Amino acid sequence: MLKIENLHVEVEGKPILRGLDLELPSGQVHAIMGPNGSGKSTLAHVIAGKPGYTATKGSISFDGRDLLALEPEARAGEGVFLAFQYPLEIPGVNNVYMLKAALNGIRKYRGQPEMDAVQFLSLVKGKAKIVGLKESLLNRPVNQGFSGGEKKRNEVFQMCVLEPRLAVLDETDSGLDIDALRIVAEGVNQLRDPSRSFLVVTHYQRLLDYIVPDVVHVLAQGRIVKSGPRELALELEQRGYDWLLPAAVV
Amino acid sequence: MTLLDTLAREFRVETGTPLAPLRERAFANARRRGLPTVRDEDWKYTDVTALTLAASAATPVPAAGPPPLPLAADDGPRLVFVDGRYNPALSIANTDAGVTVRPLSAVLAEEPTALTTLFECGAADDAPIFDALNTAFVEDGAVIEVAADVAVARPLTVLFVHGGRDHNRHAAPLISVRVGARSHFTLVEVHYGRDTAANLTNALTDIDAAAASRVTHYRLTAEAARATHIGNVRLRAARDAALTSCSFVFGGRLVRIAVQAALAEPGAHVALNGLFVAAAGQHIDHQTFLDHQAAHTVSEELYKGLADGDGRGVFRGKVLVRAGAQKIRAQQASHNLLLSPAAEIDTKPELEIYADDVACAHGATVGQIDEAAVFYLQSRGIPAAEARALLTFGFAQGVIETVEHPPLRAWLTAALAGRADVPLPTSVDEA
């Protein structure tokens, strides 16, 4: 489904990813772990198409399509979703209104008709229940005045409504207490499906107790330095990352 | 020919009428002082020295005028003026009990002395020049009186349509509103210009809110793209009165709105809100002056401005707290969004405080659309252009949501979205 080959990415002229290879098959959950500054968030952002993140070499293909050639909204149309580490506040635009614009934007991209208001409302209410998002937050401006946990929950809620085929979760666990973490993970697990893949970027293996990955990758100095089964995350927690880093760093 | 020379040719008074000396004095004052220049603090960013009536006809006709009027669904009472003159056929006179509405032209003819106090303001030596010119030239408008102890349910609309026949006309309408003690009243004042109108409007609105009254004033300037509009609003709030005045400006080549509010007695509460959109070629200036004359008064101010193309916006918000006006609260916010690199908005808060136990706060910002927010929306599947429109709309929403008049709120939303599919009221369309 997602195939990244020899990806080099610069941000403000500074190389961050340096020859990253990754293959994420359909229906799998892969975790990306790694020390601070290793390029985890950069990877998440470049998949979603953030301006200023320039791929200088390599490719990202999604079901055979060249993602790097697409605008961010077209990537969403193709089925890519990024759950932000720091979700933005959008004053004056309420959550439901934004989601409706998003869902219809995606449907339009796919040549589908817009969803009618009644259908849409029952969809969002159902999904809000699943992720435990208070209904009162639905009609509030996007993320404005939300607590840290509510913002993250809102990200997962949006993901549930938009039903992407590839969901990239950028440190969705940061700032969540254990109950919130469980609810967020439940939202993700409900979406697990043979046709859907997840790339879970995380700093701590705690999240992986709830969202059990098929593969754990270690990202260090801009490339994947080790991949392994779920147990690798536990090992990383005990031993840290140092033993995986190349002795000499250029 | 300068504007004042042109106006001097137009100037006529019926000698022997009781208001004639006041008109003459007002015009003499205006001529003696001349039009303000940018050296005048009040006019620092808005140059009116080159204003003329004659030359405007040569200006090319722009493609788009303002969207149709906000009153389609509203069959409430209204006074309609076409090219400055009261039009009884288009007006709906079914005012609610307790409200007396007369066209100013009728008052001038039948009971001119009822206007003496207002005319004396304009004829005063220190009257602002456009107030003086309004007094010198006013022919029509509305005189509205609300008795004490009435909660008037339906808003009254006063609508000025320009460009019906005479496209380069000068009009100086005056609206006088007196709301009795403990009464509730809403006025919707609309200045609407048709596509080709290049009129000069110099309007004055004077609102007096008696003790414990609740008065709301919505003022919409949707002039045509070649029009010049000077709007002066004078407000007075008595003891425990709550007075809200909102200015929305969407059209006009040069628009300057000056709102002056006196919080005259303890307990008075005045809220001034505003929203303007300065598109390419437009210059929109708001000047507000909140005068805390008494203790225990509260003022709140929220102005939002948008400028696109080479559009130019100005906001100057002055708050004066007079000596002895203790325990007052004044809050002012001016937030502005530039939608293009050539756009400019100047915002200037001014606080002058002569009392020591007060709570005054102000904040002013001029910014651009947050690109990180654009990316966030794009990543959800919203195309970039739509994401920007959504963020622009969200920015203005804070002011629009304060409007408790559904047709006006719908119009503002549509105008902001750049849509023109809000239908015209047929009766006005036939004007």
Side-chain angles (χ1 to χ4, degrees), chain B residues 115-390:
Chain B
L115 298 167
T116 305
T117 313
L118 274 172
F119 276 50
E120 277 170 352
C121 286
D125 286 346
D126 60 350
I129 180 162
F130 284 98
D131 285 31
L133 289 174
N134 182 276
T135 293
F137 287 94
V138 59
E139 293 179 312
D140 221 335
V143 178
I144 301 159
E145 275 155 28
V146 180
D149 299 301
V150 238
V152 182
R154 293 181 303 165
L156 172 73
T157 299
V158 178
L159 167 63
F160 298 92
V161 183
H162 300 291
R165 280 175 288 273
D166 186 351
H167 285 189
N168 295 313
R169 204 177 181 284
H170 163 230
L174 168 64
I175 302 177
S176 163
V177 183
R178 301 279 166 273
V179 179
R182 297 167 301 278
S183 287
H184 297 190
F185 180 66
T186 298
L187 171 70
V188 182
E189 175 185 351
V190 180
H191 297 267
Y192 183 82
R194 293 179 187 284
D195 291 355
T196 57
N199 53 293
L200 167 68
T201 292
N202 173 29
L204 176 64
T205 305
D206 186 289
I207 301 177
D208 190 283
S213 61
R214 300 177 68 85
V215 180
T216 304
H217 171 225
Y218 299 115
R219 189 185 197 286
L220 171 64
T221 312
E223 296 273 16
R226 294 196 305 176
T228 301
H229 184 102
I230 309 283
N232 288 300
V233 178
R234 284 200 304 243
L235 310 169
R236 182 182 180 278
R239 179 177 287 272
D240 298 330
L243 178 50
T244 300
S245 181
C246 309
S247 171
F248 306 99
V249 180
F250 279 79
R253 187 185 60 79
L254 187 155
V255 178
R256 185 185 192 269
I257 310 290
V259 184
Q260 198 182 319
L263 296 95
E265 291 171 1
H269 184 292
V270 172
L272 300 182
N273 296 329
L275 174 67
F276 68 82
V277 180
Q282 281 186 281
H283 181 111
I284 299 172
D285 180 345
H286 273 99
Q287 306 269 324
T288 66
F289 176 37
L290 284 154
D291 185 354
H292 286 265
Q293 298 171 351
H296 298 282
T297 49
V298 176
S299 69
E300 288 170 308
E301 208 173 4
L302 173 63
Y303 268 78
K304 292 205 174 191
L306 292 155
D308 203 355
D310 62 351
R312 182 80 194 270
V314 179
F315 173 80
R316 176 165 168 249
K318 185 171 173 179
V319 176
L320 170 64
V321 182
R322 293 188 189 253
Q326 303 291 11
K327 306 275 184 200
I328 68 100
R329 192 157 61 79
Q331 210 163 3
Q332 181 188 86
S334 157
H335 298 300
N336 301 285
L337 192 60
L338 301 176
L339 299 173
S340 97
E344 183 179 331
I345 297 178
D346 297 286
T347 175
K348 191 175 175 220
E350 278 180 38
L351 270 63
E352 232 179 285
I353 302 169
Y354 299 101
D356 54 13
D357 186 10
V358 301
C360 296
H362 66 88
T365 58
V366 180
Q368 284 157 324
I369 283 189
D370 178 4
E371 289 305 317
V374 174
F375 170 63
Y376 183 68
L377 295 175
Q378 278 181 290
S379 77
R380 294 321 184 228
I382 301 172
E386 204 184 314
R388 282 168 207 284
L390 205 57

Side-chain angles (χ1 to χ4, degrees), chain A residues 48-51 72-73 76 81-82 84 88 90-93 97-98 101-102 105-106 143 155 158 162, chain B residues 370-386 390-391 393-395 397-398 401:
Chain A
K50 185 169 183 169
E73 59 267 33
F81 179 90
L82 170 64
F84 281 55
L88 280 96
I90 313 284
V93 178
Y97 191 94
M98 188 269 263
I106 289 171
N143 293 327
E155 292 292 285
Q158 292 174 20
L162 300 178
Chain B
D370 178 4
E371 289 305 317
V374 174
F375 170 63
Y376 183 68
L377 295 175
Q378 278 181 290
S379 77
R380 294 321 184 228
I382 301 172
E386 204 184 314
L390 205 57
L391 291 167
F393 177 76
F395 170 81
Q397 193 53 30
E401 69 194 11

Side-chain angles (χ1 to χ4, degrees), chain A residues 30-236:
Chain A
H30 286 202
I32 303 281
M33 300 186 72
N36 285 330
S38 58
K40 300 193 298 291
S41 274
T42 299
L43 174 62
H45 281 125
V46 80
I47 292 171
K50 185 169 183 169
Y53 287 58
T54 318
T56 52
K57 224 193 271 181
S59 66
I60 304 179
S61 91
F62 181 62
D63 281 344
R65 293 212 57 171
D66 175 13
L67 266 197
L68 292 173
L70 299 177
E71 292 295 318
E73 59 267 33
R75 299 184 197 200
E78 292 291 333
V80 176
F81 179 90
L82 170 64
F84 281 55
Q85 182 180 3
Y86 303 109
L88 280 96
E89 298 184 3
I90 313 284
V93 178
N94 84 45
N95 231 351
V96 169
Y97 191 94
M98 188 269 263
L99 263 180
K100 192 158 187 254
L103 192 68
N104 284 330
I106 289 171
R107 291 176 73 94
K108 198 171 168 191
Y109 179 84
R110 295 175 186 164
Q112 297 165 337
E114 291 199 352
M115 193 178 265
D116 76 64
V118 178
Q119 218 182 341
F120 175 76
L121 216 63
S122 80
L123 172 76
V124 294
K125 285 191 174 167
K127 302 290 186 181
K129 209 169 222 165
I130 290 173
V131 299
L133 189 80
K134 280 183 253 159
E135 227 175 82
S136 63
L137 297 184
L138 289 177
N139 288 311
R140 285 248 298 270
V142 179
N143 293 327
Q144 212 178 24
F146 287 31
S147 70
E150 284 168 343
K151 282 183 185 175
K152 294 301 180 72
R153 211 176 283 206
N154 199 25
E155 292 292 285
V156 176
F157 162 63
Q158 292 174 20
M159 180 175 77
C160 288
V161 172
L162 300 178
E163 299 187 322
R165 288 192 307 122
L166 169 66
V168 180
L169 276 61
D170 188 7
E171 306 216 9
T172 299
D173 51 332
S174 67
L176 289 189
D177 62 35
I178 201 75
D179 291 329
L181 187 71
R182 198 176 294 135
I183 288 166
V184 163
E186 269 168 26
V188 172
N189 289 331
Q190 290 225 9
L191 278 183
R192 284 183 82 151
D193 182 286
S195 65
R196 185 171 288 132
S197 313
F198 291 86
L199 195 61
V200 180
V201 174
T202 182
H203 214 71
Y204 303 103
Q205 82 86 30
R206 187 180 66 157
L207 178 67
L208 307 179
D209 289 341
Y210 299 95
I211 305 173
V212 180
D214 298 293
V215 179
V216 175
H217 303 279
V218 179
L219 178 58
Q221 291 157 7
R223 48 177 20 142
I224 304 291
V225 293
K226 189 170 177 67
S227 301
R230 192 238 171 295
E231 290 70 29
L232 176 58
L234 295 167
E235 192 177 355
L236 289 171

